Amino acid sequence: MNIEDLRARHPDHWNKATAIRVLALDAVKAANSGHSGMPMGMADVATVLFEKHLKFDASQPRWADRDRFVLSAGHGSMLLYALMYLTGYSDITLEEIKNFRQLGARTAGHPEYGHADGIETTTGPLGQGIANSVGFAIAEASLQARFGKKIVDHHTYVIAGDGCLMEGVSQEAIGLAGKQQLGKLIVLWDDNGITIDGKVSISDVTDQMARFEASGWSVFSCDGHDPESIDEAIRQAKQSPKPSMIACKTHIAIGSSAQDTSKGHGALTDDTLIADTRKAYGWTHAPFDIPADLLSEWRQIGARGAIARQEWETRLAGLSGTKQAEFKRQMSGETPKKLSAAIKRFKQDASEAGKAVATRKASELALGVINSILPETIGGSADLTGSNNTLTPDLGTFDADNRKGRHVSYGIREHGMAAAMNGMALHGGVLPYGGTFMAFTDYARPAMRLSALMNIRVAYVMTHDSIGLGEDGPTHQPVEHMAAMRAIPNLTVLRPADTIETAEAWELAVTMEGPSMLALTRQNLPVVRTEHKTKNLTAQGAYVLAESQGKRMAILLATGSEVSVALEARRLLENEGIGVRVVSMPSWELFEQQDEAYRKRVLPAGPVRVAVEAGIRQGWDKWLCGERGNWKKADFVGMDSFGASAPAGELFEHFGITAEAVAQKVRDLL
């Protein structure tokens, strides 16, 4: 490779790409932190993509039919920030570039969703971005089936590195994309052969092109520094009916003394190295100085998509008023007003019927109502559809032959499913939910954490929520998982006690901001809300389900399947003259958001408190000892070990999660 030759053969392209390289060098130098080498190495690929292929309008970052660009190798964030500044995104100014990685700057260490318009997703953990992109492509295909190609017709482009492809979630993602034949998905692999520890060859021998091809993709390759080669590869990929991977052979930290070394991966801050690199580039301008004529060329690229956007707006305006309004509603994430009335009717019917069902089945019944009203829902399951109850009769299966279908067969891919759902939510116009066993939140957790970090609406349906699942045994019986999920900031955890609370939980999951997790039972539960209330009591997080008949001496707090245990304990104690209030606590997070006056009414000082939940105690002391409680007058009935393999009823007896055990705790405290 000869830089002089590259400069001579494609001078206009070289100058545009070099603007990206020097901005990355300058910002990382100013911050004394960051990753210089990837933006330097992939600048040519990014320049060709943005100049010749990407459909976007920098003045309208949220244009619904724009192409989506995902930087899966998020450590190279200065590549994206430089592109956004150069093309004229208003949120990324030169001042923001100069403040790279500083407190309060939009230019964070990894390109975080929500910090600036034009950033499609948070891509810090490697592998998540490429997996998110599968969800973007699914959302595009689903929306196109609903609204037509004139309104929805765009690509999803991804820049991924060796680290993205080594992470196991990437295989789940590419396997799913290949099966679904998502032809609008194009991955640009930064094939530079370098990781932090050294050459890729010290840890991996995978033939990545063969791997993608075996997973149902089209594969192409190009010289990642030759604009003609890059352009031709992207053109070929866009013609393929399959998802495409382009292996872009590049040199990390190109033109510097750190080129093709692990040093080139990180922050290049040495003054001599930077000066020599700028000289090799033929760049004579001061730090952060982009010549006006060159900046103008980039700004023209950023404005090029305005014509396509205006033509799209004309096509959208040509739809009927009803169709336009529905498209805008779905893209905005608003839910129709009739949903609330339908949920109320469902709750009333369930209260009157009083039928004992598992909350996983109650979830299916509630989804039957929701899915009939919200055409944007896309459900799925990690090969546990019949166990998770995520499929309702009207959905149909989403696949290459039926893009109008709304239930995805994810296969045994919890990692990939959760990450793809993030991509769907980020794309907009789609409301994703997906299920697995609650013990396997361990597999989905990285994506669930990012759902919470980005505050996006994704619903996780986690069934088999305790030892109540029975004979499958301790590997499948979640014990610490409620505590682990509650530990994630901004994730609303919902553990409903019966059909009514389950319906209320679903209403919240599809209407409130941010992600939610529904913890649902395998075993049947009695209806505990026998008196119909139009108000969504679950939205309060906790509420008084049953009041003491005489002087209140104890408060029992419970969630999910243990609410009925608490009610039975109350009956035993009331028969002995001990007044007991039962508080159902379907969501700690929502209860925390209530004002002090409401929380005080639910949990007043004075009575002894006992909590009962078929999980570990961690976290419960906040409600037992805090909120006017007293550690001397509080106790817990639950798990302090892993479970066992046996019928559910025997397990609750064996581990002491019974009404009598709860009642005895109250007696002991009194």
Side-chain angles (χ1 to χ4, degrees), residues 606-670:
V608 302
R609 297 181 187 180
V610 175
V612 53
E613 184 173 69
I616 63 172
R617 180 168 177 161
Q618 186 171 328
W620 271 106
D621 284 343
K622 176 170 185 174
W623 312 115
L624 292 172
C625 306
E627 292 286 329
R628 295 157 299 281
N630 184 330
W631 68 271
K632 294 180 180 179
K633 300 169 65 177
D635 212 335
F636 178 75
V637 174
M639 298 293 293
D640 58 9
S641 68
F642 292 110
S645 182
E650 293 181 24
L651 290 173
F652 278 93
E653 288 285 345
H654 175 74
F655 289 105
I657 305 174
T658 65
E660 180 53 46
V662 174
Q664 190 58 48
K665 292 284 189 184
V666 171
R667 296 184 195 108
D668 292 344
L669 289 170
L670 290 173

Side-chain angles (χ1 to χ4, degrees), residues 87-133:
T87 55
Y89 285 85
S90 60
D91 277 356
I92 302 297
T93 62
L94 188 59
E95 197 62 29
E96 292 287 352
I97 298 289
K98 291 178 178 179
N99 286 327
F100 177 56
R101 288 191 166 214
Q102 304 309 298
L103 184 64
R106 291 192 171 102
T107 46
H110 292 82
E112 295 183 24
Y113 168 78
H115 282 209
D117 280 346
I119 296 172
E120 301 290 0
T121 181
T122 288
T123 54
L126 293 177
Q128 288 292 322
I130 189 173
N132 293 159
S133 71

Side-chain angles (χ1 to χ4, degrees), residues 371-414:
N371 287 337
S372 67
I373 294 173
L374 301 180
E376 63 267 35
T377 56
I378 293 185
S381 169
D383 199 55
L384 292 166
T385 301
S387 295
N388 301 148
N389 297 80
T390 52
L391 176 61
T392 57
D394 58 329
L395 287 190
T397 299
F398 175 91
D399 59 25
D401 298 321
N402 182 24
R403 297 306 194 196
K404 289 186 177 181
R406 292 159 56 199
H407 194 269
V408 181
S409 296
Y410 285 108
I412 307 153
R413 299 185 178 107
E414 290 89 352

Side-chain angles (χ1 to χ4, degrees), residues 130-138 169-183 185 212 214-217 243 380-382 398-400 403 407-421 424:
I130 189 173
N132 293 159
S133 71
V134 177
F136 277 94
I138 289 173
V169 68
S170 70
Q171 182 57 45
E172 295 191 14
I174 69 173
L176 177 61
K179 172 64 177 72
Q180 290 289 345
Q181 298 181 39
L182 298 172
L185 175 59
F212 274 78
S215 299
W217 289 55
S381 169
F398 175 91
D399 59 25
R403 297 306 194 196
H407 194 269
V408 181
S409 296
Y410 285 108
I412 307 153
R413 299 185 178 107
E414 290 89 352
H415 298 274
M417 176 184 70
M421 289 197 296
M424 292 181 217

